[in-house]
Each structure stands twice: as structure tokens, then as C-alpha cells.
Amino acid sequence: MLGYGYSRVLVTGGAGFVGSHLCEQLLGQGHEVLCVDNFHTGTKSNVAHLLTNPRFELVHHDITQPLYAQVGQIYNLACPASPVHYQSDPVHTMKTSVIGAINMLGLAKRQKARILQASTSEVYGDPKVHPQAETYWGHVNPIGRRSCYDEGKRAAEALYFDYWRQHKVQIKIARIFNTYGPRMHPQDGRVISNFVVQALKGDPITIYGDGRQTRSFCYVDDLVDGLIRLMNSPEEVTGPINLGNPGEFTIAELANMVVVLTGSNSEVVHRPQPPDDPYQRRPDITLAEEKLQWRPTVPLREGLIRTLDYFQTLLGTGPRSGYPKVIQFEAAVQASQRAEIA
Ligand code: NAD
Ligand code: UDP
Ligand code: UDP
């Protein structure tokens, strides 16, 4: 169900980790895809395999600047997602979320296009309600080091709803929880890519703090399926809708899984926990199940194996020795005593 006039789909941040998978999926569905990226954290190599497709177009552009294009749908993913990267130029991160949102909403308004915002579980901050449902307003530090991202995304959500109320723009807001998979940048800084790269290289695995903080990890293919379902849902479904895997793991459990699965000799070391690091995070996905008939299908073990294979090839680290240890891995998962959904 494309917007009026044009069957072209714009993906901002399309050369990033999630965006590149989304572009691939949309092309596979027969769409024309305009991928716009400033290559801050994304790379041309992420979409190099798409460049020969005549329905794919790649444009170097920063969404803090106006963009004029003919499109029927807009997926607004442009924004660095790793704390290391969004904190490296916090002012630009905020500009990307706020000015970028205004520009993309202005484009959607002019084109009568449908627009989807990649929002985040970070709008819940360090949540005091667990698991997090969309009705929870969050617990965010407005002046901390994570604020450029958290508050930027919250401001973007507010702008989307104002354009919806004031200008009748068709909006969709996805609150994305921690997502992982192939094409994460090896120096991305997020926990799964860090642990996998460290384990494959035999470097120390860096747990920040005591490792008791939790996250819920969603495999990228599941997320992309959820984003496309949300975009094509009935007009009255605006969101915000949580998209994430409710399987919840401590960071120490994750480190253990990666070590066992890779058969790595890496030692686990502890480093200081960053300020305002959320203590717990787990999505309530009832709304996505009801409105989108969506739930994740890839369990963490399976997704980790696919991610390990990707990084092993990328880093040229040789055959992984961990396959025989999958049984130990199962034990590690059970030890977590937490039910994963898929
Ligand atoms: P990523 O850093 O790999 O991709 C972001 C992309 O946006 C990169 O290609 C980057 O170069 C581009 N970009 C950044 N600022 C830009 C700007 N001003 N103009 C144009 N392009 C710009 O991150 P990702 O994991 O693929 O995340 C994609 C989106 O999903 C982000 O908006 C992020 O906030 C959101 N999200 C991701 C996760 C996750 O766990 N992956 C969780 C919550 C939300
Ligand atoms: N904009 C854009 N592409 C368009 C239309 C608008 O980038 O096709 C930008 C433009 O920079 C503008 C912003 O979106 O400032 C908001 O547009 P809107 O029409 O809502 O507001 P106005 O132009 O009245 O400020
Ligand atoms: N983390 C860690 N070691 C690392 C990278 C991250 O222990 O090398 C922790 C981090 O402190 C946080 C969790 O893993 O508690 C998830 O961090 P990430 O940056 O992946 O995502 P976010 O904090 O944005 O959820």
C-alpha cells in the first residue's frame, strides 16, 4: 500500500546496519528504493551489493538539510544508534533527530507520503516500569550524556504527532529495542558486536559494571519484518509500537554465551559502567502482536550464530571452534532462567 502517486520508497540511514537490511528487503518486494545517508556510521560497502539493481539509488545527503524527492513512503532511520557514536557529536545527533524529523515530515506532507520513524526503547530511559509497554512515559535524564539521543527521539515523536494532528500526515512510530545481526560495524561499540569481535580476536571481553543490567535482543530480520508490517498497517495505526524480542538476558549471561559459542579463550574483564546506563529493559509486545500480527521468530542462539559467521568472514578469523559447544550454550541459556519468546 504505497502513498499517492509514487511507488518509490525513501530509506534515510539506508547505508547503516538496519537500513541496509531494510533496503534489501524492500527491493526484494519489488519496490524502487532511494537510500539517503551521510555515511557517519553507515558505509557504502553495506549496500554495495544493491548498487547494480536498477531500482536502487544511493544519495550522499545529511537529513539536517532539506530534501526534495518524489516518494510514496519514507522510513526515517538516519541517526547514529550506538552510544559511542551518538555521543561523539551530541549536537549533531540532536539536530539529526529534530531538524531531520522536521525535514522528513515536511517532505511527507508535501508528497502526501506515509512516514515511519525509527524511535527507540531509549524513550523509556532507565525504566521504573518493567517490562515496558507503550503507555509508560519513561524515566529519562534530560541533561545527561544520553540525552542527545533519548530526548532527540522523544522530540521527534512529539513532532510526528503534531504533524499528524495539525497537517494530517500519515505517521507510524516504531519503538525499536536492541537489535543485532550481520552488518553491524565492528567498531560500532554496541554490546553484541563488541563481545563477538572481542571473542573472535581473543581480546578481553569488556563487561561494563557488574553485568547484572539486562537487555532484550532482537535479530535484524525480525525487526525489518516488523517495520514493513507497521508501515503497511491500516492508517489509524500510528503507534508508537514496541518492536523487540522479549527474551531478556543480563550482560554477564550474554558474555558467557558468546564465549561458549565461539569457543574463545578470551577472559572477561570489567570496566566502569557508563553514566545513566539503563538497568533493565524488556519490551511488552502485546500491541505489535495485536495490531501487526508480529512477533520475533529468531532465538538469540540462532541470531548469534548468524552474527558470528558474519564477523568471522569479515575479520578473517578462521573456522569457529564453538559449534561442538552448543550444548554448553544451551545450559548457559537455561541458567539465565529467563524465558525467551522464540
Ligand atoms: P546505524 O548507526 O548502523 O545506522 C544509522 C545510519 O544513519 C548510518 O548509515 C548513518 O551514516 C546514517 N546517518 C546518521 N546521521 C545521519 C544524518 N544526519 N543524515 C543522513 N544519514 C545519517 O544504526 P542502526 O542500528 O542501523 O539504527 C537505525 C535506526 O534505528 C536509528 O534511527 C536508530 O536510532 C534506530 N534504532 C536502532 C536500534 C538498534 O538496536 N539497532 C535500537 C533502537 C533504535
Ligand atoms: N522540506 C523538505 N522537503 C520537502 C518539503 C519540506 O526537506 O519536500 C523541509 C523544509 O526545509 C521545511 C521543513 O521540511 O523547512 C518543514 O516543512 P513544512 O512544510 O512543514 O514547514 P515550512 O516549510 O512551512 O517551514
Ligand atoms: N556493554 C558492555 N560492554 C560493551 C558494550 C556495552 O557491558 O563492550 C553494556 C552497556 O553498558 C549496556 C549494555 O551492554 O548496559 C547494552 O549496551 P549497548 O551500547 O549495546 O546498547 P544500549 O545501552 O543503548 O542499550
Side-chain angles (χ1 to χ4, degrees), residues 83 122 146 178 190-191 194 206 208 213 215 277 281:
E122 296 282 341
R146 298 177 83 99
N178 298 60
R190 281 177 279 184
V191 67
N194 269 11
T206 53
Y208 301 158
Q213 69 271 37
R215 292 294 186 274
D277 196 9
R281 189 180 288 158

Side-chain angles (χ1 to χ4, degrees), residues 61 63-69 99-111 163 167 169:
H61 176 83
I63 62 159
T64 59
Q65 302 299 320
L67 178 71
Y68 293 89
I99 301 174
I102 292 173
N103 285 331
M104 292 309 104
L105 285 160
L107 173 62
K109 184 179 112 186
R110 190 176 61 80
Q111 286 286 292
Y163 269 78
H167 298 303
V169 172

Side-chain angles (χ1 to χ4, degrees), residues 81-317:
S82 162
V84 176
H85 293 290
Y86 70 62
Q87 289 170 21
S88 70
D89 187 348
V91 172
H92 198 261
T93 299
M94 182 65 94
K95 284 184 183 172
T96 294
S97 278
V98 177
I99 301 174
I102 292 173
N103 285 331
M104 292 309 104
L105 285 160
L107 173 62
K109 184 179 112 186
R110 190 176 61 80
Q111 286 286 292
K112 296 187 169 44
R114 192 172 265 207
I115 182 165
L116 180 148
Q117 168 70 357
S119 190
T120 171
S121 54
E122 296 282 341
V123 301
Y124 302 122
D126 188 6
K128 300 301 166 206
V129 170
H130 193 73
Q132 294 80 51
E134 294 83 351
T135 45
Y136 179 48
W137 288 359
H139 179 243
V140 175
N141 177 354
I143 56 168
R145 290 187 185 280
R146 298 177 83 99
S147 314
C148 59
Y149 185 75
D150 301 5
E151 296 289 20
K153 292 282 189 179
R154 286 168 70 94
E157 286 199 12
L159 280 162
Y160 273 66
F161 271 88
D162 286 335
Y163 269 78
W164 175 68
R165 281 184 287 257
Q166 195 174 331
H167 298 303
K168 313 288 176 242
V169 172
Q170 287 188 47
I171 60 158
K172 307 279 176 186
I173 294 180
R175 288 190 181 151
I176 302 169
F177 284 63
N178 298 60
T179 299
Y180 69 99
R183 293 198 209 119
M184 292 186 93
H185 197 282
Q187 271 98 45
D188 179 89
R190 281 177 279 184
V191 67
I192 288 194
S193 47
N194 269 11
F195 284 2
V196 168
V197 170
Q198 289 162 347
L200 290 175
K201 290 166 82 175
D203 293 343
I205 293 187
T206 53
I207 291 182
Y208 301 158
D210 62 12
R212 286 193 293 175
Q213 69 271 37
T214 69
R215 292 294 186 274
S216 302
F217 300 103
C218 185
Y219 188 67
V220 64
D221 288 358
D222 280 331
L223 173 68
V224 166
D225 176 46
L227 292 175
I228 293 174
R229 280 173 191 253
L230 175 57
M231 176 64 99
N232 295 292
S233 60
E235 188 175 339
E236 65 273 14
V237 180
T238 56
I241 290 193
N242 290 338
L243 294 178
N245 189 324
E248 183 184 3
F249 297 87
T250 68
I251 296 306
E253 285 163 355
L254 177 72
N256 188 28
M257 290 175 198
V258 171
V259 168
V260 171
L261 203 57
T262 51
S264 172
N265 296 321
S266 290
E267 57 169 337
V268 171
V269 297
H270 290 264
R271 297 279 178 263
Q273 195 158 7
D276 298 333
D277 196 9
Y279 182 69
Q280 56 184 357
R281 189 180 288 158
R282 173 185 187 156
D284 177 334
I285 59 164
T286 311
L287 201 58
E289 288 176 322
E290 276 174 21
K291 301 286 184 196
L292 311 178
Q293 291 73 53
W294 177 87
R295 61 171 16 230
T297 60
V298 182
L300 183 57
R301 181 191 71 178
E302 178 59 34
L304 278 179
I305 289 174
R306 294 186 204 173
T307 308
L308 287 169
D309 284 342
Y310 168 78
F311 278 111
Q312 191 197 326
T313 305
L314 187 78
L315 302 171
T317 46

